[in-house]
């Protein structure tokens, strides 16, 4: 999919733009729906009003689910930070979740009680936003919470909270810096934007500036920037404008207007001369970048420039893919993306060098292809495929009202950046009218300027990120900021220097929750194709799209242990064409239809997925069937995808989280068990290097067969119609005469041997800790009680483990525990990325927390209430989209659950008792049988581990 815009760099998660507009006509056989028809269907109706205090409110009514997205956007980001205050916008975003004067506890406690979903906050260069999707009956509660932190915050901000969140943010920075390419964000912004430019410095901030932030500084940041006149509130979902006006006036009308915020001047810089730099990092292969600063999203040239980059390196069939990866394979991957922010943006072209090829050769070829594209410009067909792929993603996005990329986001961005909630229509109009000559001219205008050439080469870093601060790249959003600390009551109801609001609304207690609607899961229908393949179907007509998943009982557990990585290699090779369509033709056919077709696997299943526009469904299903049934398994393409998989393997062996997972799984299950393999499925270099075309074809013939398949369909069609179309494609497929294959889960799992396995990763600012065990349970067992116990201990933000290590200690950006979701024997694993000097202490805390939870400090009344309420009330919002429903269907079938499983869950949760949850946890978990893996700097970490009373073994991984 093309990486197209500020909405998101990958269309799979693109912002929703499309509402139920004119019906799309059915395309003729083999033809794609016209772009003009798709553009006409794009509409998000809204109404807007402004309070006397300047708060701008936008309301979009969508009654498909009993939920409302609440999204508050403040026009303040890192570009507004003065010198010496880098990281303030993001640090303050964290503090906004630590409680307000009339709701002094954690912001997420009352939201979890009502079953809120998609709750988060993010900061970038231009703005800070806060959002949650709540059941309709809880709208007053969400508005109370948002208005209380807008108008009644400072009395709840304490030095203790500031110090805690400073530590959390610094660990967020360490976590980002610790990954391969983790320092790239600094290189991009520090080199493309000169010193003093508002986009030059950090969103995450430098350690020094974060350390210097005082309580007076952060309170001034609030009073200067967080007035209602500097904000946009969007309500999208099960609400009308009359209701919205009354509720917003009640909760926000008393908040006084703040000072006018001055927007900094943000010019689009041009480098005075070409700039080149080489850096070393723990990366699998040399990566070559070419970068430019570009105009912001309101510039008429922004959309054509993004289309140009889709053609150059965003589409699957892009110029760079065809030239450098397919035809003359000197690179293992390439991309090109233009990402405009409000005032300026970044354009990146990159190529990962194929091992064995000289980097200078790849750099020369990359520059030649850029020059060739600028000389020829795009074709009309390339622009059509870019537009079709983009529009398909936007139509898919309709179903989500909120979150990171729903309709609320689109309206808020338009209002905040462009003073037009419907600005997406301006952009779509520019996309529809773009011509080859226009796109060519604009690409030449911006790419003819001097470039910043950055080369990443494998090796040990020569500098860390502590003293550097570069803003986000690639649409990265800040992860959840969900503190759990209480305010200092001695400050009183209105803190010092607040200029506080006198409240018209009753803020003495949380608003009551009105009647909440129960989940109405779509009716499940079933049929069988001519060849006996079962079809499981649910109808969703909100948008003119259809989602299909053809699932095979295979997964990574089917990989031969003597040839791990076989399936991943097979799936990658299947992406490179069929017996009738070569790699380029297959990619172009998908793009022309606006279809997404891909293959994925987990431990148990191999799944071939299709997202199709309704008018293009027949042609898209034909392409899917060809993809599954008739892979070309081209020997020449095999060498290319083999090099790509070997590169991904190298990358995995440099990633601390992946390293820890590769070590832990075989230790827990035993190397001979189907699950005792590296969980990514990439296998090992020896097996991938040795794999032959015949071996991959044989694996396909063995496992990818109709009597081992089931088809799931959710979308705007009927079972009768889709069965007819599937019969014409997959229904003709005959099963082989050989017996179906089996996976051998009867292999004995070794008894646990508690110890610490230490992997040395020098100069790591953080350590990654995993602690795990195999449970005496399988995926199809009744596990709701045990999973609730895990939620309380470590499974969500408000859990005991996260509250301790993140919220109380500030040693981590976030820790979790999880129960796996496999079909056979499950694992319980705790994961904790922590600052390196607290590695040993963090393991002590994990053991102490778990021992306490399993001992005399079991589930409390408050934890039980929060868990039950949240689990029940979040269900309606959990199946908002067709993709959510498709996932639910697959889970029902995988684990042999009744069709009404999700609708029976509320009764299951409401019957739970604290004693029952305690008993389930004590039966399944223990502190005495855990195996620990630590990935970190052994020189710093090992002395901390030696005093924990567990054997410490140093381990390594061979590629």
């Amino acid at each position: 999919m093309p990486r197209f815009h500020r909405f998101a760099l990958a269309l799979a998660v693109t912002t929703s733009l499309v509402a139920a507009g004119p019906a799309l006509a059915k395309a003729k056989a083999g033809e794609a729906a016209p772009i003009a028809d798709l553009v006409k269907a794009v509409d998000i109706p809204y109404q807007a009003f402004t309070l006397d205090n300047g708060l701008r409110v936008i309301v979009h009514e969508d009654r498909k689910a009993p939920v409302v997205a609440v999204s508050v956007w403040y026009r303040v980001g890192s570009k507004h930070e003065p010198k010496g205050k880098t990281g303030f916008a993001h640090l303050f975003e964290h503090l906004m979740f630590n409680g307000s004067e009339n709701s002094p506890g954690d912001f997420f406690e009352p939201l979890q009680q009502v079953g809120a979903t998609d709750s988060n906050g993010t900061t970038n260069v231009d703005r800070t936003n806060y959002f949650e999707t709540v059941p309709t009956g809880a709208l007053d509660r969400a508005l109370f919470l948002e208005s209380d932190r807008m108008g009644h915050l400072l009395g709840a901000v304490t030095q203790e909270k500031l110090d805690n969140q400073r530590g959390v943010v610094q660990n967020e920075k360490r976590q980002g810096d610790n990954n391969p390419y983790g320092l790239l964000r600094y290189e991009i912004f520090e080199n493309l934007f000169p010193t003093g430019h508002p986009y030059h410095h950090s969103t995450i901030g430098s350690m020094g500036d974060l350390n210097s932030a005082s309580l007076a500084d952060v309170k001034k940041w609030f009073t200067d920037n967080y007035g209602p006149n500097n904000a946009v509130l969007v309500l999208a979902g099960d609400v009308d404008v009359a209701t919205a006006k009354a509720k917003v006036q009640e909760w926000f009308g008393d908040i006084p207007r703040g000072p006018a915020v001055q927007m900094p001047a943000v010019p689009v810089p041009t480098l005075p001369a070409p700039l080149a730099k080489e850096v070393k990092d723990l990366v699998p292969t040399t990566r070559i970048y070419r970068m430019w600063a570009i105009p912001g999203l309101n510039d008429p040239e922004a959309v054509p420039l993004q289309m140009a980059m889709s053609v150059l390196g965003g589409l699957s069939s892009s110029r760079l893919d065809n030239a450098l990866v397919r035809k003359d394979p000197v690179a293992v991957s390439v991309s090109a993306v233009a990402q405009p922010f409000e005032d300026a943006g970044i354009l990146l072209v990159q190529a990962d060098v194929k091992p064995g090829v000289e980097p200078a050769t790849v750099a020369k070829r990359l520059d030649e292809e850029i020059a060739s594209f600028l000389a020829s410009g795009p074709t009309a067909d390339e622009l059509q495929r870019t537009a079709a792929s983009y529009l398909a993603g936007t139509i898919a996005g309709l179903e989500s009202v909120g979150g990171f990329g729903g309709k609320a986001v689109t309206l808020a961005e338009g209002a905040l950046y462009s003073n037009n909630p419907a600005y997406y229509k301006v952009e779509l109009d520019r996309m529809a009218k773009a011509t080859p000559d226009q796109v060519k001219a604009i690409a030449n205008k911006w790419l003819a300027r001097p470039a910043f050439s950055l080369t990443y080469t494998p090796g040990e870093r020569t500098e860390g990120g502590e003293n550097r601060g570069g803003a986000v790249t690639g649409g990265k959003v800040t992860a959840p900021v969900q503190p759990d600390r209480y305010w200092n009551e001695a400050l009183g109801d209105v803190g010092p220097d607040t200029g506080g609001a006198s409240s018209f609304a009753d803020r003495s207690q949380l608003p009551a929750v009105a009647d909440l609607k129960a989940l109405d899961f779509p009716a499940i229908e079933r049929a069988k194709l001519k060849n006996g393949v079962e079809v499981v179907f649910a109808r969703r007509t909100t948008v003119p799209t259809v989602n299909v998943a053809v699932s095979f009982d295979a997964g990574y557990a089917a990989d031969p242990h003597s040839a791990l990585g076989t399936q991943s290699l097979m799936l990658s090779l299947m992406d490179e064409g069929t017996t009738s369509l070569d790699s380029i033709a297959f990619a172009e056919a998908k793009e022309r239809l606006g279809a997404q077709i891909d293959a994925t696997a987990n431990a148990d299943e191999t799944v071939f997925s299709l997202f199709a526009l309704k008018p293009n469904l027949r042609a898209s299903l034909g392409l899917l069937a060809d993809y599954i049934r008739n892979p070309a398994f081209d020997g020449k393409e095999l060498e290319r995808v083999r090099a790509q998989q070997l590169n991904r393997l190298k990358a995995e062996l440099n990633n601390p989280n992946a390293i820890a997972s590769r070590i832990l799984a075989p230790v827990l299950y035993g190397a001979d068990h189907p699950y005792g393999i590296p969980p990514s499925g990439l296998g090992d270099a020896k097996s991938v290097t040795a794999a032959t075309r015949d071996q991959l074809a044989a694996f396909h013939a063995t496992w990818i067969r109709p009597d081992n398949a089931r088809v799931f369909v959710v979308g705007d069609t009927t079972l009768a119609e889709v069965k007819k179309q599937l019969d014409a494609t997959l229904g003709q497929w005959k099963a082989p005469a050989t017996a179906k294959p089996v996976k051998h889960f009867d292999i004995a799992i070794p008894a646990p041997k508690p110890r610490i396995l230490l992997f040395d990763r020098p100069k790591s600012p953080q350590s990654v800790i995993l602690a795990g065990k195999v449970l005496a349970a399988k995926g199809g067992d009744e596990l709701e009680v045990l999973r609730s116990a895990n939620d309380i201990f470590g499974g969500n933000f408000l859990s005991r483990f996260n509250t301790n290590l993140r919220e109380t200690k500030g040693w981590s950006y976030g820790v979790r525990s999880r129960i796996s979701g496999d079909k056979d024997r499950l694992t319980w694993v705790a994961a904790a990325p922590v600052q390196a000097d607290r590695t040993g202490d963090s393991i002590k805390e994990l053991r102490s927390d778990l021992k306490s939870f399993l001992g005399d400090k079991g589930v409390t009344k408050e934890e039980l209430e929060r868990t039950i309420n949240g689990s029940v009330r979040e269900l309606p919002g959990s199946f908002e989209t067709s993709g959510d429903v498709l996932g639910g269907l697959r889970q029902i079938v995988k684990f042999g659950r009744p069709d009404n499983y999700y609708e029976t869950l509320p009764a299951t949760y409401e019957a739970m008792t604290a004693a029952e949850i305690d008993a389930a946890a004590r039966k399944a978990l223990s502190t005495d049988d855990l195996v620990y893996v630590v990935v970190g700097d052994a020189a710093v970490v090992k002395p901390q581990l030696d005093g924990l009373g567990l054997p410490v073994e140093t381990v390594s991984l061979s590629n």
Side-chain angles (χ1 to χ4, degrees):
M1 299 299 292
R3 286 137 271 187
F4 194 68
H5 176 27
R6 64 191 166 95
F7 296 117
L9 294 189
L11 283 179
V13 291
T14 187
T15 299
S16 157
L17 293 179
V18 184
L24 293 175
K26 189 173 181 180
K28 295 178 182 177
E31 293 184 10
I35 294 299
D37 288 357
L38 298 177
V39 171
K40 285 176 188 173
V42 176
D43 189 35
I44 309 177
Y46 72 90
Q47 293 179 272
F49 59 92
T50 302
L51 299 188
D52 291 343
N53 59 14
L55 178 65
R56 189 171 180 183
V57 185
I58 300 163
V59 182
H60 166 67
E61 190 172 343
D62 177 345
R63 301 289 190 179
K64 74 174 181 304
V67 295
V68 180
V70 178
S71 198
V72 185
W73 292 54
Y74 294 89
R75 198 172 184 189
V76 58
S78 60
K79 73 182 180 187
H80 299 87
E81 296 163 347
K83 184 178 179 181
K85 307 294 184 187
T86 66
F88 261 52
H90 176 237
L91 177 61
F92 195 86
E93 173 220 306
H94 276 241
L95 286 168
M96 284 278 278
F97 289 92
N98 268 105
S100 52
E101 292 163 6
N102 301 292
S103 182
D106 185 285
F107 185 83
F108 288 90
E109 171 73 35
L111 285 178
Q112 186 169 332
Q113 288 275 7
V114 299
T117 54
D118 293 327
S119 304
N120 215 318
T122 76
T123 308
N124 73 8
V125 290
D126 299 312
R127 56 88 188 130
T128 308
N129 67 354
Y130 305 87
F131 50 89
E132 56 275 336
T133 300
V134 297
T136 310
L139 179 57
D140 275 308
R141 179 168 293 193
L143 294 177
F144 162 82
L145 291 166
E146 289 292 357
S147 63
D148 209 57
R149 62 180 174 181
M150 178 186 285
H152 306 267
L153 180 84
L154 290 188
V157 178
T158 66
Q159 185 67 47
E160 182 187 19
K161 290 178 180 179
L162 171 60
D163 291 343
N164 172 262
Q165 288 309 305
R166 190 199 328 266
V168 172
V169 170
Q170 289 178 333
N171 274 301
E172 179 181 354
K173 178 179 170 69
R174 291 186 185 103
Q175 186 169 311
D177 292 352
N178 197 33
N179 288 318
Y181 303 107
L183 306 184
L184 172 65
R185 50 188 174 172
Y186 308 136
E187 300 294 348
I188 294 171
F189 286 87
E190 290 172 9
N191 287 287
L192 286 181
F193 299 97
T195 301
H197 190 285
Y199 284 178
H200 173 82
H201 75 265
S202 158
T203 292
I204 194 71
S206 72
M207 289 294 191
D209 284 358
L210 290 168
N211 280 327
S212 71
S214 71
L215 196 59
D217 288 334
V218 297
K219 289 188 175 186
K220 187 174 189 306
W221 183 263
F222 177 78
T223 55
D224 285 352
N225 296 292
Y226 271 75
N229 49 305
N230 198 41
V232 171
L233 167 64
V234 180
L235 302 179
D238 187 21
V239 64
D240 56 51
V241 72
T243 302
K245 276 185 177 178
K247 291 183 181 299
V248 173
Q249 178 62 42
E250 177 184 4
W251 294 112
F252 289 85
D254 65 307
I255 302 172
R257 179 184 290 263
V261 177
Q262 298 301 313
M263 291 299 120
V266 187
V268 182
T270 295
L271 294 175
L275 176 65
K277 183 176 181 180
E278 180 178 341
V279 296
K280 293 186 182 299
D281 199 355
L282 294 174
V283 295
T285 188
T286 299
R287 177 176 289 179
I288 298 163
Y289 289 98
R290 301 290 183 261
M291 307 183 198
W292 293 264
I294 58 170
L297 57 87
N298 288 305
D299 193 295
E301 296 184 346
V303 168
L305 196 53
Q306 291 166 87
M307 297 183 77
M309 290 307 98
S310 288
V311 173
L312 178 61
L315 294 168
S316 298
S317 64
S318 75
R319 298 281 184 93
L320 292 177
D321 278 287
N322 291 346
L324 304 186
V325 180
R326 290 189 175 99
K327 295 176 180 176
D328 177 21
V330 296
V332 289
S333 67
V334 292
S335 72
V337 61
Q339 188 194 9
F341 302 113
E342 181 179 8
D343 302 304
I346 55 174
L347 188 154
L348 277 69
V349 182
Q350 74 181 58
D352 284 4
V353 174
K354 182 180 178 180
V357 178
E358 279 296 320
T361 301
V362 181
K364 181 172 180 289
R365 291 284 292 112
L366 180 64
D367 291 334
E368 289 171 351
E369 289 304 322
I370 295 172
S372 173
F373 172 70
L374 295 177
S376 69
T379 66
D381 183 59
E382 286 172 322
L383 293 183
Q384 185 276 338
R385 286 186 276 117
T386 293
S389 297
Y390 175 67
L391 283 162
T394 66
I395 290 172
L398 159 72
E399 292 186 288
S400 178
V401 291
F404 285 103
K407 289 182 285 187
V409 172
T410 302
L411 296 172
E413 284 186 324
L416 200 73
Y417 299 145
S418 311
N419 199 31
N420 177 8
Y423 188 69
Y424 65 89
K425 290 193 173 187
V426 176
E427 295 177 308
L428 290 177
D429 183 63
R430 289 171 181 164
M431 182 185 72
K433 291 178 178 176
T435 66
D437 286 345
Q438 177 203 24
V439 173
K440 174 185 174 182
I442 291 171
N444 274 274
K445 173 181 175 180
W446 292 100
L447 272 68
R449 297 146 63 234
F452 171 42
S453 299
L454 177 66
T455 303
Y456 258 83
T457 57
E460 193 169 292
R461 285 181 182 172
T462 56
E463 61 178 326
E466 296 82 3
N467 300 315
R468 304 183 68 182
V472 297
T473 70
K476 175 187 174 291
V477 286
T478 310
V481 265
Q482 310 160 340
D484 192 16
R485 298 290 298 281
Y486 289 94
W487 62 321
N488 183 348
E489 294 183 12
L491 291 175
D493 190 45
V494 178
D497 303 317
T498 62
S502 59
S503 182
F504 301 144
D506 178 9
R507 296 183 182 274
S508 62
Q509 59 186 359
L510 281 171
V513 178
D515 290 341
L516 300 178
K517 295 180 183 176
L519 170 67
D520 181 16
F521 196 82
I524 299 175
E525 302 176 64
R526 286 178 167 79
K528 287 201 172 176
L529 301 183
K530 293 175 182 176
N531 57 359
V533 173
E534 184 182 20
V535 179
V536 184
F537 175 82
R539 191 165 193 219
R540 289 291 291 258
T541 59
T542 307
V543 289
T545 65
V546 179
N547 289 271
V548 180
V550 185
S551 178
F552 294 84
D553 183 7
Y556 295 134
D559 256 4
H561 275 49
S562 60
L564 293 177
T566 296
Q567 183 169 200
S568 286
L569 194 60
M570 178 199 76
L571 295 179
S572 295
L573 190 54
M574 288 178 71
D575 285 337
E576 302 308 325
T578 70
T579 51
S580 59
L581 295 170
D582 68 15
S583 177
I584 296 173
F586 180 62
E588 290 179 349
K590 289 188 291 183
E591 292 159 359
R592 206 165 279 122
L593 293 167
Q596 298 176 35
I597 296 177
D598 53 50
T600 57
N602 56 36
D604 300 309
E605 303 156 292
T606 304
V607 183
F608 298 88
S609 300
L610 165 69
F611 164 81
L613 295 167
K614 181 181 179 179
N616 297 344
L617 179 59
R618 179 165 55 168
S620 300
L621 281 172
L623 205 56
L624 174 69
D626 192 30
Y627 172 58
I628 295 171
R629 295 179 58 183
N630 307 309
F633 288 136
D634 185 307
K636 189 174 76 171
E637 301 283 7
L638 171 58
E639 295 314 308
R640 178 163 66 79
V641 300
R642 188 198 315 277
Q644 291 171 331
Q645 185 154 328
L646 289 170
N647 191 62
R648 288 197 296 272
L649 258 173
K650 277 188 182 177
E652 190 167 283
L653 294 174
N654 285 319
N655 182 292
N657 296 297
I659 290 168
S661 295
R662 285 184 75 92
I663 293 169
L664 186 62
V667 169
L668 294 184
Y669 282 108
D672 295 328
H673 192 277
Y675 292 164
I677 61 174
S680 68
L682 291 176
D684 59 75
K686 182 179 178 182
S687 296
V688 173
T689 302
T692 65
R693 180 205 179 278
D694 289 347
Q695 181 182 336
L696 301 182
F699 188 92
H700 181 275
T702 301
W703 292 94
I704 309 304
R705 46 190 281 170
D707 56 348
N708 199 36
R710 189 178 270 109
V711 181
F712 299 88
V713 182
V714 177
D716 187 12
T717 184
T718 64
L719 179 59
E721 179 68 18
V722 81
K723 179 184 180 300
K724 178 181 174 184
Q725 294 170 327
L726 286 167
D727 263 331
T729 52
L730 291 172
Q732 312 295 327
W733 190 14
K734 290 184 170 53
T738 54
K740 279 206 306 183
V742 294
K743 291 170 280 190
H744 298 286
F745 287 108
D746 52 351
I747 292 172
I749 293 170
K753 182 184 172 187
R755 61 201 189 279
I756 299 172
L757 304 175
L758 172 61
F759 182 97
D760 184 20
R761 191 173 182 269
K763 297 187 178 179
S764 295
Q766 273 196 333
S767 299
V768 170
I769 302 168
L770 295 185
K773 64 173 291 185
V774 179
L775 299 173
K778 295 184 178 182
D781 294 346
E782 294 182 0
L783 296 169
E784 291 79 15
V785 175
L786 181 59
R787 289 190 183 278
S788 295
N790 180 67
D791 283 347
I792 292 166
F793 174 75
N796 62 40
F797 183 84
L798 296 172
S799 67
R800 293 189 186 184
F801 187 32
N802 190 65
T803 297
N804 184 7
L805 259 63
R806 173 180 160 141
E807 297 306 303
T808 303
K809 301 290 193 301
W811 296 345
S812 176
Y813 180 42
V815 299
R816 292 291 186 274
S817 63
R818 59 183 179 267
I819 297 171
S820 60
D822 302 326
K823 192 170 183 178
D824 206 80
R825 290 285 294 277
L826 305 176
T827 56
W828 179 86
V829 175
V834 300
Q835 61 193 67
D837 63 348
R838 292 294 189 177
T839 306
D841 290 338
S842 296
I843 292 177
K844 287 180 187 174
E845 291 298 322
L846 167 60
R847 295 166 75 182
S848 173
D849 285 350
L850 186 57
K851 184 176 181 181
S852 170
F853 180 63
L854 300 176
D856 60 357
K857 292 192 172 121
V859 176
T860 66
K861 178 184 175 183
E862 293 75 19
E863 288 170 332
L864 178 67
E865 180 185 32
R866 182 177 70 221
T867 299
I868 291 174
N869 285 345
S871 297
V872 171
R873 293 169 174 176
E874 74 182 6
L875 281 168
S878 298
F879 295 100
E880 185 187 4
T881 69
S882 296
D884 296 334
V885 174
L886 186 72
L889 293 187
R890 288 180 53 200
Q891 292 289 300
I892 283 171
V893 172
K894 178 176 179 177
F895 297 119
R897 291 168 175 158
D899 285 358
N900 65 345
Y901 171 73
Y902 291 108
E903 289 167 313
T904 65
L905 274 179
T908 302
Y909 288 124
E910 287 164 353
M912 286 182 192
T913 65
E916 186 181 15
I917 296 173
D918 286 339
R922 289 164 186 161
K923 180 179 178 183
L925 304 177
S926 169
T927 56
D928 299 329
D929 56 0
L930 298 178
V931 177
Y932 295 82
V933 174
V934 176
V935 179
D937 187 338
V940 174
V941 169
K942 190 168 186 304
Q944 302 175 52
L945 304 180
D946 285 338
L948 295 177
L950 287 170
V952 179
E953 301 174 15
T954 301
V955 296
S956 61
L957 286 172
S958 60
N959 188 4

